[in-house]
Amino acid sequence: MDTDSDDGYLKAVRDLNGLQTNHQILEQIRASGGRLNENSLPEFGSYIEKLGHQVDDLNRLNVIHVTGTKGKGSTCAFIQSLFSHLPGRPLKIGLFTSPHLIEVRERIQINGHPLARSEFAKYFYQTYDGLRAPSPPLRKVTEGSPATPMYFGFLTLMAYHTFLAESVDVAIMEVGVGGEYDSTNIIRQPSVCGIASLGIDHQAVLGSTIEEIAWHKAGIIKKGVEVFTVEQPESAMRVIRDRAAERLAPPPTVVSPLGADVVLGLAGAHQRTNAALAVALCREWIRRQGLSVESDDWVAKGLAEARWPGRSQTFASPRHPDMTWFVDGAHTVESMAACASWFTATAAGDRPSVLLFNAAHDRNAQALLDELNAKGCEFVEAVFCPNLSRRADSANSTVYYDSELAPQKGSARIWTAHSPDCKTTVKPTIDDAVAYIEAAYAGPVNVLVTGSLHLVGGVLDAAKGSV
């Protein structure tokens, strides 16, 4: 395979997309009432071995493991920025996050940059072909164990393989879903663990109560490893403390939000909580490594220069200078409240505003739109579309796309009930929605894009051309 060309990258993306679990299978899993597979981590360990590594090899990566319902990606972005400003010998920093916005290679980064297309293809096929090689044989955990992990698990495996091959000094690993059974949790001895804000999300696999969700998230806690958390609901905090005690870990340390005088590169008051968690995790990592850092200048610089596209991000339209886009991937009630507060505080009030919205298939559109309305957001028009875009990296077979656009029409009805005078429009793709808005509004206008990170990524691609 020629991995040095764009063709090699695009072929890797197509092969990767073939590892997605289709919508029908996911629905069968949900209907069965099953929870996350308890064999998933033993199986993932066998994939690590198949590639010629041992699970304990991952301990060399000095992992910072971060979970949470909202804010875990932003926390990881702050950590990456903080470490890039640490004095002394520059660290080689690996970062694994999800989802991607435009290109899948964004998920695996070295020193703040996504893998080059050629590097992504190289490590993809080392992983992909390695799993299919006849030798060594795959250690089967059960008779039904799959020979290859699915999409997210494969990317986790590829990230660990890449970081080992690149000999990174630190690997910042963001959990995908939950924690206990998440493929990132194969790490046995991370340097430190962090838990960002908890809320209700992914109920089909994590449970419907904050206590059940906290149990899964706290599954990343390891024996003897410090765990830091932001302030949580007391019932969730009890679960985190209990799980730390069960795992023979130190009692969790709760961090408080940074003060308003601290300059942050990420917009929104909620980022002061994520930034505080990031600083605590970095300081503990530095302590565990036995490093001596004389000055705290790196903290101020790292926080001020942090960047995390798609979250509380503002940009002017390249084609329409008077059109300002406000994009935020909020997809829980709590994060939507933060998004609405950011938008109302930031957007110019003397110009009309347009909403572009879609809720992912397993999210409650009613609750998200209710929260947006409750925060006083007013729009002259609300546009709704599915998470469909032209780019191969955005192909998603885990979602059933209704050609009649029933979910989007349902969201439009919800918004009309809130705001009868607001015009509503439904479009079949993200590209169509962006083109419609750009054609309909020639004068100064604010456009808020929210409800899904997949939607945000498609809009960044269609309206801006980059992250």
Side-chain angles (χ1 to χ4, degrees), residues 16-22 150-151 392-399:
L16 174 64
N17 287 342
L19 300 175
Q20 294 186 29
T21 307
N22 68 33
M150 291 182 291
Y151 188 93
D393 301 68
S394 301
N396 190 349
S397 64
T398 66
V399 178

Side-chain angles (χ1 to χ4, degrees), residues 2-34:
D2 175 15
T3 60
D4 293 330
S5 67
D6 280 356
D7 288 345
Y9 172 75
L10 295 174
K11 185 179 187 305
V13 170
R14 288 193 296 271
D15 286 338
L16 174 64
N17 287 342
L19 300 175
Q20 294 186 29
T21 307
N22 68 33
H23 172 77
Q24 289 80 6
I25 293 175
L26 285 176
E27 285 304 305
Q28 291 170 10
I29 293 171
R30 292 187 181 108
S32 72

Side-chain angles (χ1 to χ4, degrees), residues 9 16 80 93-100 103-117 119-121 123-124 127 151-164 166 168 171-173 308:
Y9 172 75
L16 174 64
Q80 198 286 138
I93 307 162
L95 173 65
F96 176 68
T97 63
S98 61
H100 59 278
E103 294 194 11
V104 67
R105 61 194 181 92
E106 298 163 23
R107 297 187 184 218
I108 303 175
Q109 301 189 20
I110 303 288
N111 291 338
H113 300 286
L115 291 180
R117 284 182 160 210
E119 289 293 289
F120 184 94
Y123 287 121
F124 175 87
T127 307
Y151 188 93
F152 178 81
F154 182 94
L155 286 170
T156 307
L157 181 65
M158 179 181 162
Y160 275 131
H161 172 68
T162 301
F163 294 155
L164 285 170
E166 291 285 332
V168 300
I172 308 161
M173 302 295 295
W308 196 228

Side-chain angles (χ1 to χ4, degrees), residues 1 23 51-52 141 178 182 240 253 267 288 308 340 398 409 431 435 447:
M1 163 52 52
H23 172 77
L51 294 185
V141 175
D182 189 78
I240 295 171
T253 300
R288 283 282 294 255
W308 196 228
T398 66
K409 291 175 181 176
D431 300 278
V447 185

Side-chain angles (χ1 to χ4, degrees), residues 40-189:
S40 59
L41 287 182
E43 288 171 349
F44 197 79
S46 72
Y47 303 138
I48 294 281
E49 296 164 8
K50 176 73 173 168
L51 294 185
H53 308 298
Q54 297 299 314
V55 172
D56 283 344
D57 292 343
L58 304 181
N59 297 339
R60 300 202 309 265
L61 299 176
N62 303 312
V63 168
I64 296 180
H65 203 188
V66 183
T67 189
T69 304
K70 56 190 177 74
K72 62 184 188 293
S74 297
T75 298
C76 290
F78 277 122
I79 295 170
Q80 198 286 138
S81 183
L82 286 161
F83 277 149
S84 71
H85 290 85
L86 201 63
R89 179 182 68 84
L91 296 176
K92 192 169 191 179
I93 307 162
L95 173 65
F96 176 68
T97 63
S98 61
H100 59 278
L101 293 174
I102 296 179
E103 294 194 11
V104 67
R105 61 194 181 92
E106 298 163 23
R107 297 187 184 218
I108 303 175
Q109 301 189 20
I110 303 288
N111 291 338
H113 300 286
L115 291 180
R117 284 182 160 210
S118 59
E119 289 293 289
F120 184 94
K122 179 181 78 172
Y123 287 121
F124 175 87
Y125 282 108
Q126 286 181 7
T127 307
Y128 190 80
D129 294 340
L131 289 171
R132 284 160 173 73
S135 180
L138 179 70
R139 176 177 56 81
K140 288 271 192 175
V141 175
T142 69
E143 278 207 22
S145 292
T148 304
M150 291 182 291
Y151 188 93
F152 178 81
F154 182 94
L155 286 170
T156 307
L157 181 65
M158 179 181 162
Y160 275 131
H161 172 68
T162 301
F163 294 155
L164 285 170
E166 291 285 332
S167 299
V168 300
D169 295 302
V170 55
I172 308 161
M173 302 295 295
E174 179 193 357
V175 167
V177 175
E180 175 73 17
Y181 303 126
D182 189 78
S183 53
T184 62
N185 203 30
I186 192 66
I187 182 71
R188 291 172 176 165
Q189 201 62 28

